[in-house]
Amino acid sequence: SSLARGLRAALRAAAAPPCASALAGLAVGLTPARRLFAGEKAPLGLVASVLETLGGAMIPCLLIVLGGELASAGRDALIDLPRRTVAAATGARLALMPALGAAWLATATALRLVPTSQPPLFLVVCLLAWSTPAAVVLSTLAVQHGAAPGVMAGLLLVSYAGGAVTLPLVITLLLGAIR
């Protein structure tokens, strides 16, 4: 049946390494098992330290993959996409997402889901998370699945270039609003 197929697809997706890792992290972090990894006398503190060190190297490694994809795709990385598509993808990430984030945060604040004791800078940081360009991990996933990695790398390049313009504007607006 379609329900069984959907359930199998959901289980396959949850078994993918990124999802399985996130679920394992939640299982450890939200239970008493976290005492095994965190704290001064944690028996597996060395494992946590090693994982933290490896995690710190992730972004530089992903940037190398992104650079490799841009180099292999060359100047034609975005030539297959209409300019409207590139503009829509970039605009949605850099303009629409901050607006949605602001609406979500305003709603959460009005419903008292955000503690009123939080300093205003907390709200700025939340909105900045909605305003940043897409994660470089998208390029790695495109490489892994053979889903037009050159085009994804090109879109990320345009998104990061646009972010160099939009992020200072967002930060200026946010800092002006909390004064």
Side-chain angles (χ1 to χ4, degrees), residues 104-105 108-120 122-123 126:
W104 178 86
L105 198 54
T109 303
L111 294 173
R112 305 235 184 256
L113 297 173
V114 176
T116 55
S117 62
Q118 294 294 338
F122 170 78
L123 300 175
C126 288

Side-chain angles (χ1 to χ4, degrees), residues 17-154:
C19 289
S21 299
L23 291 172
L26 285 171
V28 170
L30 296 176
T31 64
R34 73 178 169 274
R35 292 186 195 117
L36 293 171
F37 297 95
E40 288 184 27
K41 296 183 180 186
L44 298 175
L46 179 63
V47 173
S49 177
V50 168
L51 290 174
E52 185 176 336
T53 301
L54 289 173
M58 184 186 80
I59 296 296
C61 290
L62 292 178
L63 288 174
I64 290 170
V65 170
L66 177 63
E69 282 306 313
L70 283 170
S72 68
R75 298 175 68 190
D76 300 331
L78 294 174
I79 205 138
D80 292 338
L81 289 178
R83 289 186 182 191
R84 274 195 212 169
T85 303
V86 174
T90 304
R93 181 64 201 154
L94 298 178
L96 183 61
M97 290 304 290
L100 288 174
W104 178 86
L105 198 54
T107 302
T109 303
L111 294 173
R112 305 235 184 256
L113 297 173
V114 176
T116 55
S117 62
Q118 294 294 338
L121 196 55
F122 170 78
L123 300 175
V124 171
V125 171
C126 288
L127 285 172
L128 277 178
W130 286 78
S131 304
T132 57
V136 71
V137 77
L138 293 176
S139 176
T140 305
L141 289 172
V143 169
Q144 182 180 9
H145 296 288
V151 172
M152 178 55 73

